């Protein structure tokens, strides 16, 4: 039995609900306006609210906002006979448990009521849930953090503690997505240079032709377009730390300049003639097999031995499965706060499902899956179906399909390659790169809007953009916000 509040201006519908739900053993209250509904929420403390959208005076969405302020964990089902996409999106954005259309089938509404009541009770019981503001480690901060209590992670923590106070070069190794940048930040934060600059250079993200000038800077006139002197990141970080991510992919020519920096503590800007002394600590990271790269001639052997002064190995997530529950709780608390929504919690079944996964994308894949599940959650604790759906979507598995993600990724790559080849073959060289990037960018933004039902704020979070940046891209690409929820 549950205490349920019906809010609707139609007397007949309220009476029908009261007869139906009383026959199921529920304790039913009713209100004819949004204002009365809010009053009863405060006085009666219902376990579920079923509310119409169109009512005289305060409409259902306005009442929903007020109810969420009174009790953010109270499940609310919104119903209407006048469906619009904007109303459905807004109701979902405001945290409605579900949005249904009149008329509805009795078995369907009874099943939905059972789900909503159960979700509300589980939230109030805080089943396996981290409290808001707690990342599962007892820390208040919910920024990016190293999380884990496994034996393997304790070895990492000890290594960080030993290496941080020194000025030794540190090489962080591990598979993609294991958290190498977080280790680099931890070394920096616990070092004697913790109050000095910390700059990050991704050696893959920056084109080879620009990487050298980004690192070492250039003098005026060094090349066409160099109208002013530019100080590189190495100089900017003088006295502090530079983190070189994906150093295994650094071009050989730049490797030689980096070696000189490590040996002589000085650099030369592009076009410069005088060496410039610099005092920086280098932390590097890679998921590349450096030994194989040295053997193949893709990585300098002398630089390899320079980098091996202190090596920190990060274990893949599959080798520390006991850390998956605290990581999942941490991500849930962090993303809930970032999205300004109550932490819904996560069920033991969902955690068991996550622990059983191989996680080829490691901690990054786990975080993305929790984030995606949270975006599309309906207010109750995340269950196994929520995480399974999110994980399959991240891996490119079609719903109901057992097909591996790699098949879909390969097909996508081949399609993209064909587009690039065709565009380049037909190109006259006029802004072809920008055109291709705009084409891809338009597809990515459009898909994010489609996945979030046109919700710009959630789409921006999915893309890792600020909302103004997303709006600028929507305008740039001439996108029409989708008016249909899929």
């Amino acid at each position: 039995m549950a205490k349920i509040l019906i809010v609707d201006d139609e007397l007949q519908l309220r009476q029908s609900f009261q007869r139906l739900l009383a026959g199921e053993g529920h304790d039913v209250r009713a209100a004819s306006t949004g204002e009365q509904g809010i009053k009863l929420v405060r006085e009666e403390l219902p376990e579920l609210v079923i509310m119409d959208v169109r009512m005289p005076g305060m409409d259902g969405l306005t009442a929903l906002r007020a109810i969420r302020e009174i009790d953010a964990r109270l499940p609310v089902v919104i119903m209407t006979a006048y469906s619009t996409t904007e109303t459905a999106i807004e109701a979902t954005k405001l945290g409605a448990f579900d949005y249904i259309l009149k008329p509805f089938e009795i078995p369907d509404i009874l099943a939905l009521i059972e789900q909503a009541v159960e979700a509300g009770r589980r939230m109030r019981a805080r089943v396996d849930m981290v409290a808001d503001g707690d990342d599962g480690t007892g820390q208040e901060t919910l920024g990016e953090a190293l999380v884990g209590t496994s034996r393997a992670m304790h070895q990492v923590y000890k290594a960080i503690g030993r290496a941080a106070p020194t000025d030794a070069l540190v090489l962080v190794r591990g598979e993609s997505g294991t958290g190498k940048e977080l280790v680099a930040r931890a070394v920096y934060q616990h070092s004697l240079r913790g109050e000095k600059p910390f700059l990050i250079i991704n050696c893959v993200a920056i084109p080879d032709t620009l990487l050298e000038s980004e690192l070492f800077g250039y003098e005026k006139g060094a090349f066409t377009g160099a109208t002013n002197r530019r100080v590189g990141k190495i100089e900017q970080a003088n006295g502090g730390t530079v983190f070189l991510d994906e150093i295994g992919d650094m071009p050989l020519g730049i490797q030689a300049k980096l070696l000189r920096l490590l040996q002589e503590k000085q650099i030369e800007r592009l076009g410069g003639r005088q060496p410039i002394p610099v005092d920086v600590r280098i932390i590097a990271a890679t998921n590349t097999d450096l030994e194989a790269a040295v053997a193949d001639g893709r990585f300098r052997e002398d630089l390899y031995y320079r980098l091996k002064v202190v090596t920190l190995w990060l274990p893949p997530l599959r080798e520390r499965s006991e850390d998956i529950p605290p990581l999942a709780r941490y991500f849930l608390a962090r993303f809930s706060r970032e999205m300004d929504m109550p932490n819904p919690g996560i069920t033991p079944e969902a955690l068991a499902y996550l622990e059983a996964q191989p996680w080829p994308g490691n901690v990054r894949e786990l975080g993305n899956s929790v984030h995606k599940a949270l975006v599309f959650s309906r207010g109750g604790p995340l269950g196994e179906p929520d995480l399974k759906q999110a994980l399959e979507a991240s891996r490119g598995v079609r719903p109901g399909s057992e097909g591996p993600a790699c098949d879909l990724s390969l097909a996508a790559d081949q399609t993209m390659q064909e587009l690039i080849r065709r565009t380049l073959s037909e190109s006259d060289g006029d802004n072809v790169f920008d055109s291709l990037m705009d084409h891809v960018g338009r597809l990515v933004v459009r898909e994010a809007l489609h996945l979030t039902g046109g919700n710009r704020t959630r789409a921006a979070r999915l893309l890792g953009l600020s909302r103004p940046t997303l709006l600028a891209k929507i305008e740039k690409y001439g996108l029409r916000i989708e008016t249909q929820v899929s």
Side-chain angles (χ1 to χ4, degrees), residues 28 44 122 135 177 182 203-204 257 357 383 426 443 473:
V28 185
E44 300 289 340
R122 292 169 81 171
D135 63 5
L182 295 181
C203 300
V204 172
K257 290 203 167 190
Q357 300 308 304
E426 298 172 356
L443 292 175
K473 290 185 180 295

Side-chain angles (χ1 to χ4, degrees), residues 146 152-153 155-156 159-160 169-184 187 243-249 283-295 298-301 303-320 362:
L146 285 167
M153 286 306 294
Q155 294 301 319
V156 172
I160 291 172
L169 190 154
V170 175
L171 175 63
V172 187
R173 302 185 68 173
E175 296 178 6
S176 179
T178 49
K180 294 186 291 295
E181 182 180 328
L182 295 181
V183 170
V187 172
F243 174 48
L244 300 176
D245 199 8
E246 303 299 348
I247 195 172
D249 296 285
I283 302 175
T286 184
N287 59 13
T288 300
D289 184 341
L290 288 182
E291 291 75 17
V294 169
R298 293 179 286 111
F299 201 84
R300 292 180 62 111
E301 186 175 15
L303 179 58
Y304 167 73
Y305 286 111
R306 273 281 175 180
L307 292 173
K308 281 190 66 176
V309 175
V310 176
T311 301
L312 300 184
W313 285 91
L314 264 180
L317 190 55
R318 63 183 174 274
E319 294 180 5
R320 54 182 187 110
N362 291 295

Side-chain angles (χ1 to χ4, degrees), residues 215-229:
L215 282 170
F216 304 108
Y218 54 80
E219 297 288 352
K220 179 179 179 180
F223 51 83
T224 303
T227 56
N228 296 290
R229 169 189 289 176

